[in-house]
Amino acid sequence: MIEIIEGIYKGRSEGKILVSINGVVFGIITDAESFSEFNEGDKILVYTKLIVSQEDMTIYGFDSKVKKETFEKLIKVSKLGPKTAIKILSSTTVDFLSNAIATGDVEKLSSIPGIGRKTAERMITELKDEFEVVEVNEEMLEAIEALVSLGYSKTQARNAVSKVLKESPNISNVSKIIKEALKILAKI
Amino acid sequence: MIEIIEGIYKGRSEGKILVSINGVVFGIITDAESFSEFNEGDKILVYTKLIVSQEDMTIYGFDSKVKKETFEKLIKVSKLGPKTAIKILSSTTVDFLSNAIATGDVEKLSSIPGIGRKTAERMITELKDEFEVVEVNEEMLEAIEALVSLGYSKTQARNAVSKVLKESPNISNVSKIIKEALKILAKI
Amino acid sequence: MIEIIEGIYKGRSEGKILVSINGVVFGIITDAESFSEFNEGDKILVYTKLIVSQEDMTIYGFDSKVKKETFEKLIKVSKLGPKTAIKILSSTTVDFLSNAIATGDVEKLSSIPGIGRKTAERMITELKDEFEVVEVNEEMLEAIEALVSLGYSKTQARNAVSKVLKESPNISNVSKIIKEALKILAKI
Amino acid sequence: MIEIIEGIYKGRSEGKILVSINGVVFGIITDAESFSEFNEGDKILVYTKLIVSQEDMTIYGFDSKVKKETFEKLIKVSKLGPKTAIKILSSTTVDFLSNAIATGDVEKLSSIPGIGRKTAERMITELKDEFEVVEVNEEMLEAIEALVSLGYSKTQARNAVSKVLKESPNISNVSKIIKEALKILAKI
């Protein structure tokens, strides 16, 4: 029913981002990475999903339409509720998830925090046709992971690495990518 | 509870139109034809019906009050839910439906995608008194269908044919109506 | 949860008044008399009661706080739902109802359309302590009823008679009250 | 879902504060002390908790985030619903409550109106880890209680005493605190 909320970012509290619209501040449950770079007062656009049950009304929200659609697919899987779906999306990227499901890779899927073997098998059985293999730049992933291990947030790391690849598309050596990305990150 | 929503049209996604009001974008389920001509940024007025169940809150919306009222009558029929009602309204006109129900015409009714014989009989039994025979201009219907088969949307076709009949009320020959309508459509 | 709605009056449809606020038009179920004098475009303040059930969310609304509170008391009576409460409030005044309940007058109460003897008895048993005897000006009531029988709405009649009694508090002869009220009504 | 509501204070009615936002007046259930000093027309910021059940939607609200969080903890205790939680928060301070729970003090806890021995024991068992001992200025509490017994509201008393302690941090004699506070209160 509520597809998007556009308002003013008011901070984060207990897994929720606070978004103010016309005097009402909504608490929207999101994954660890969405909006992690936002500062109080920023304008924010959230792709939302309202979930109504007998005992509660909760809004989940994400920083991209594709992440929201991934969330909507995950919660269709039997015995996989919104909380687990948020945990999964907080621990991996949509691309990684899509490829693991599309290729039916139980090992890869159950390597993600929040996904045991049984859940992985159910996800593959019930969602296989809803995901496609996405071309993933392994070097990019490796560079991002390296930067994260140096303490940068995943969004910072990904933005920096994307910028490097944009400016020099032919660069394919992981350590070179990391070096260039660190220069960018130093300027933030 | 929510009878009308007036906002800015933000596009269509999976059977829903997106309507923005004061920072909140509502996803409103509608029939295939309602608002099919709208462009992103247009002002839009939607006749809405909020349906609350234990597990969800959904808004259905239409481009005319009479279509909304028809939807409200359809979902009163036992074993006929909102999804089927939307399918029916996407496959026929309110006039055609009214006449088929008012005249108790099971053949005509079950010719509409989404309506089997049993559903047709239930619709007639439960709704007969709620619909009246509407004078339908057969030539008009034929002209519209011809234009649709040429690739125009039903709304484009109906608007053009209505314009022709308004400008020359005495015209009754179907091919003449089509010819005049095509002139109008060429200018769009 | 929603105590008052202030917006623009958009007309009446099937027992509902339509009130527009910031692009959303609410359908509020009200009694026959509330807002009967309103014209489309008027500013309107409605005392509202949101009722949530497993299958629906409905807003009821009234033109005075005391009428809303009376409605809230009525729906607490066992086997007396919102629809019957609206029917009762559409058929009588709050004062008449208060006096009938406070004095335990089953005859008077069951003379109101929508209230049978059993309902009257239950109302008295369950609500006796919640209503007080209200001083009612019998002549005023008679004059109002006479004007209503001449075709004026109850609100018009009551406003005119109240005006007469305000301007000449000592007037107590019913036909004189009616005569003066008719002069006022003639000017509307 | 709704974390904060900012609007215009419209008064108090039956345990609810009325807050107006863009034409809608929300009725928010609060404790006796929250906003007790507010005047109609004041700007107000309420920390809110929306509770949805099969039969109702209710908003509870408080004048501080910590009081709202305390309310959210209390209603997690089995057999302790929102009404009792409001009664508790209307009868004591968050600090007093925190200390009683954190120290497992059944006597102290069951001295609070609305908390019997069994409820006190359950609160301690289920919430012990969620509360910490808060340094409480006994003289301050005594002075506040004395002023309340003289007829001042708890908020007035607490504000005055806090002001005294701020201006003269070394003052520790209860009667001196009361004397200074009365001078401040006299000026209101």
Side-chain angles (χ1 to χ4, degrees):
Chain A
M1 174 167 147
I2 299 179
E3 306 291 328
I4 291 172
I5 283 187
E6 280 182 272
I8 303 297
Y9 179 69
K10 289 274 182 182
R12 217 176 179 101
S13 141
E14 294 154 33
K16 287 182 186 173
I17 49 170
L18 304 178
V19 180
S20 171
I21 310 181
N22 311 320
V24 177
V25 176
F26 290 95
I28 302 172
I29 298 176
T30 187
D31 59 288
E33 214 202 285
S34 280
F35 312 109
S36 52
E37 313 296 301
F38 271 65
N39 301 305
E40 194 153 335
D42 288 351
K43 277 198 177 178
I44 187 171
L45 184 146
V46 188
Y47 293 89
T48 48
K49 169 79 178 173
L50 173 69
I51 293 188
V52 173
S53 71
Q54 286 181 15
E55 293 312 322
D56 208 358
M57 277 169 83
T58 316
I59 301 188
Y60 295 84
F62 307 93
D63 57 3
S64 73
K65 198 171 175 222
V66 76
K67 202 185 272 187
K68 169 185 163 178
E69 285 161 356
T70 306
F71 173 76
E72 288 177 324
K73 289 173 190 170
L74 289 176
I75 57 175
K76 284 194 294 190
V77 176
S78 40
K79 293 186 203 157
L80 200 160
K83 275 192 188 135
T84 310
I86 288 286
K87 200 174 166 193
I88 294 170
L89 289 171
S90 298
S91 326
T92 184
T93 65
V94 169
D95 291 352
F96 185 89
L97 201 59
S98 306
N99 286 340
I101 295 173
T103 56
D105 189 333
V106 174
E107 291 317 314
K108 217 174 170 185
L109 210 47
S110 48
S111 73
I112 302 169
I115 304 183
R117 275 200 79 81
K118 280 205 185 135
T119 306
E121 281 153 10
R122 268 204 312 277
M123 285 169 76
I124 290 169
T125 325
E126 297 180 35
L127 293 180
K128 210 157 192 287
D129 308 331
E130 305 217 26
F131 285 92
E132 284 158 16
V133 175
V134 178
E135 212 212 294
V136 167
N137 180 326
E138 293 299 344
E139 290 74 20
M140 183 174 173
L141 277 190
E142 256 183 77
I144 291 171
E145 252 150 54
L147 292 167
V148 167
S149 65
L150 294 174
Y152 290 101
S153 80
K154 201 169 277 177
T155 308
Q156 283 173 323
R158 188 187 298 124
N159 292 348
V161 168
S162 308
K163 210 170 168 200
V164 168
L165 295 179
K166 218 170 165 191
E167 281 157 12
S168 24
N170 303 327
I171 191 172
S172 68
N173 176 295
V174 178
S175 48
K176 268 197 197 145
I177 298 173
I178 295 167
K179 228 173 79 193
E180 291 306 314
L182 284 171
K183 281 185 206 158
I184 294 171
L185 289 163
K187 285 178 222 148
I188 298 176
Chain B
M1 174 166 149
I2 299 180
E3 306 290 330
I4 291 172
I5 283 188
E6 280 182 272
I8 305 296
Y9 179 68
K10 289 275 183 181
R12 218 176 178 101
S13 141
E14 293 155 32
K16 287 183 186 173
I17 48 170
L18 304 179
V19 180
S20 171
I21 309 182
N22 311 320
V24 178
V25 176
F26 290 95
I28 302 172
I29 299 176
T30 188
D31 60 288
E33 215 204 287
S34 281
F35 311 110
S36 52
E37 314 296 301
F38 271 64
N39 301 303
E40 194 153 336
D42 287 351
K43 277 197 175 179
I44 187 171
L45 184 146
V46 188
Y47 293 90
T48 48
K49 168 80 175 172
L50 173 68
I51 294 188
V52 173
S53 72
Q54 287 180 16
E55 293 313 320
D56 209 358
M57 275 167 85
T58 317
I59 300 188
Y60 295 85
F62 306 93
D63 57 3
S64 74
K65 197 170 175 226
V66 76
K67 203 185 271 187
K68 168 185 164 178
E69 285 160 355
T70 306
F71 174 76
E72 287 176 322
K73 289 174 189 169
L74 288 176
I75 58 175
K76 285 194 294 190
V77 176
S78 40
K79 294 184 202 159
L80 201 159
K83 274 191 189 139
T84 310
I86 289 285
K87 199 174 166 192
I88 293 170
L89 289 170
S90 297
S91 325
T92 185
T93 65
V94 169
D95 291 351
F96 184 90
L97 200 60
S98 308
N99 286 340
I101 295 172
T103 56
D105 188 333
V106 175
E107 291 316 314
K108 219 175 170 184
L109 210 47
S110 48
S111 73
I112 302 169
I115 304 182
R117 277 201 79 81
K118 280 204 186 134
T119 307
E121 281 152 9
R122 268 203 313 277
M123 285 169 75
I124 291 169
T125 326
E126 296 180 37
L127 293 180
K128 211 157 189 281
D129 309 332
E130 305 216 26
F131 285 92
E132 283 157 17
V133 175
V134 177
E135 213 212 296
V136 169
N137 179 328
E138 294 297 342
E139 289 74 22
M140 183 175 172
L141 275 190
E142 256 183 76
I144 291 172
E145 253 151 53
L147 291 167
V148 166
S149 65
L150 293 175
Y152 292 101
S153 81
K154 203 169 277 178
T155 309
Q156 283 173 322
R158 187 187 299 125
N159 293 348
V161 168
S162 308
K163 211 169 171 202
V164 168
L165 295 177
K166 217 168 159 193
E167 281 158 12
S168 25
N170 303 327
I171 191 173
S172 67
N173 176 296
V174 177
S175 48
K176 269 194 194 147
I177 298 174
I178 295 168
K179 227 172 80 192
E180 292 306 312
L182 283 171
K183 282 185 204 159
I184 294 172
L185 288 164
K187 286 177 220 148
I188 298 177
Chain C
M1 172 167 150
I2 299 179
E3 306 290 329
I4 291 171
I5 284 187
E6 281 183 87
I8 304 297
Y9 179 69
K10 288 276 182 180
R12 216 177 179 102
S13 141
E14 293 155 32
K16 288 182 185 172
I17 49 169
L18 304 178
V19 180
S20 172
I21 310 181
N22 311 319
V24 177
V25 175
F26 289 94
I28 303 172
I29 299 176
T30 188
D31 60 287
E33 215 203 288
S34 282
F35 312 109
S36 52
E37 312 298 302
F38 272 66
N39 300 303
E40 194 153 337
D42 287 352
K43 278 198 174 179
I44 188 170
L45 184 147
V46 188
Y47 293 91
T48 49
K49 168 77 176 172
L50 172 68
I51 293 188
V52 173
S53 72
Q54 288 182 12
E55 294 312 320
D56 208 356
M57 276 168 85
T58 316
I59 302 189
Y60 294 84
F62 306 93
D63 57 3
S64 73
K65 197 170 178 229
V66 76
K67 201 185 274 188
K68 169 185 165 177
E69 285 160 357
T70 306
F71 173 76
E72 287 176 324
K73 289 174 190 169
L74 288 176
I75 58 175
K76 284 194 293 190
V77 175
S78 40
K79 294 185 200 158
L80 200 159
K83 277 193 187 136
T84 311
I86 289 286
K87 198 174 167 192
I88 294 170
L89 289 170
S90 298
S91 325
T92 184
T93 65
V94 169
D95 291 352
F96 185 89
L97 201 58
S98 306
N99 285 340
I101 295 172
T103 56
D105 188 332
V106 174
E107 291 316 313
K108 218 174 168 184
L109 211 46
S110 48
S111 72
I112 301 170
I115 304 182
R117 276 200 79 82
K118 280 205 186 134
T119 307
E121 283 154 7
R122 269 203 312 279
M123 285 170 75
I124 290 168
T125 325
E126 297 179 36
L127 293 180
K128 211 156 189 286
D129 307 332
E130 305 216 25
F131 285 92
E132 283 156 18
V133 174
V134 177
E135 212 212 297
V136 169
N137 179 327
E138 293 297 342
E139 290 74 22
M140 182 175 175
L141 274 190
E142 255 182 76
I144 290 172
E145 253 151 55
L147 291 166
V148 166
S149 65
L150 293 174
Y152 292 101
S153 81
K154 202 168 278 179
T155 309
Q156 285 172 321
R158 188 187 300 123
N159 293 347
V161 167
S162 307
K163 211 169 168 199
V164 167
L165 295 178
K166 218 168 159 191
E167 282 156 12
S168 26
N170 303 325
I171 192 173
S172 68
N173 176 295
V174 177
S175 47
K176 269 195 194 145
I177 297 174
I178 295 168
K179 229 173 79 193
E180 291 306 313
L182 283 170
K183 281 184 204 159
I184 294 172
L185 288 164
K187 285 178 220 148
I188 300 174
Chain D
M1 175 167 148
I2 299 180
E3 305 290 329
I4 292 173
I5 284 187
E6 281 182 87
I8 303 297
Y9 179 69
K10 288 275 184 180
R12 218 178 179 100
S13 144
E14 294 155 31
K16 288 182 186 172
I17 49 169
L18 304 178
V19 181
S20 171
I21 309 181
N22 310 319
V24 177
V25 175
F26 290 94
I28 303 173
I29 298 176
T30 188
D31 61 288
E33 215 202 289
S34 280
F35 312 109
S36 52
E37 313 297 302
F38 271 64
N39 301 304
E40 194 153 335
D42 286 352
K43 277 197 177 179
I44 188 171
L45 184 146
V46 188
Y47 293 90
T48 48
K49 169 78 176 171
L50 173 68
I51 293 189
V52 173
S53 72
Q54 288 181 15
E55 294 312 321
D56 208 357
M57 278 168 82
T58 316
I59 301 189
Y60 294 85
F62 306 93
D63 57 4
S64 73
K65 197 171 175 224
V66 76
K67 201 185 272 189
K68 169 186 165 177
E69 285 161 357
T70 306
F71 173 76
E72 287 176 323
K73 289 175 190 168
L74 289 176
I75 58 175
K76 283 194 293 189
V77 176
S78 39
K79 292 186 202 156
L80 201 160
K83 276 192 190 138
T84 310
I86 289 285
K87 199 173 165 192
I88 294 170
L89 290 170
S90 298
S91 324
T92 184
T93 66
V94 169
D95 291 352
F96 185 88
L97 200 59
S98 306
N99 285 339
I101 294 173
T103 57
D105 188 333
V106 175
E107 292 315 315
K108 217 174 169 185
L109 210 48
S110 47
S111 73
I112 302 170
I115 303 183
R117 276 199 80 82
K118 280 205 184 134
T119 305
E121 282 154 9
R122 268 204 312 278
M123 284 170 75
I124 291 169
T125 324
E126 297 180 35
L127 293 180
K128 209 155 188 289
D129 308 331
E130 304 216 25
F131 285 92
E132 283 157 18
V133 175
V134 177
E135 212 211 297
V136 168
N137 180 326
E138 293 298 342
E139 290 74 21
M140 182 174 171
L141 275 190
E142 256 182 75
I144 291 171
E145 252 151 54
L147 291 168
V148 166
S149 64
L150 293 175
Y152 291 100
S153 81
K154 202 168 279 179
T155 308
Q156 284 172 321
R158 188 186 300 123
N159 292 348
V161 168
S162 308
K163 213 169 169 201
V164 167
L165 295 178
K166 218 170 166 188
E167 281 157 12
S168 26
N170 303 327
I171 190 173
S172 68
N173 176 294
V174 178
S175 48
K176 268 197 196 145
I177 297 174
I178 295 168
K179 228 174 79 192
E180 291 307 312
L182 284 169
K183 281 184 204 160
I184 294 171
L185 288 164
K187 285 178 220 148
I188 297 173

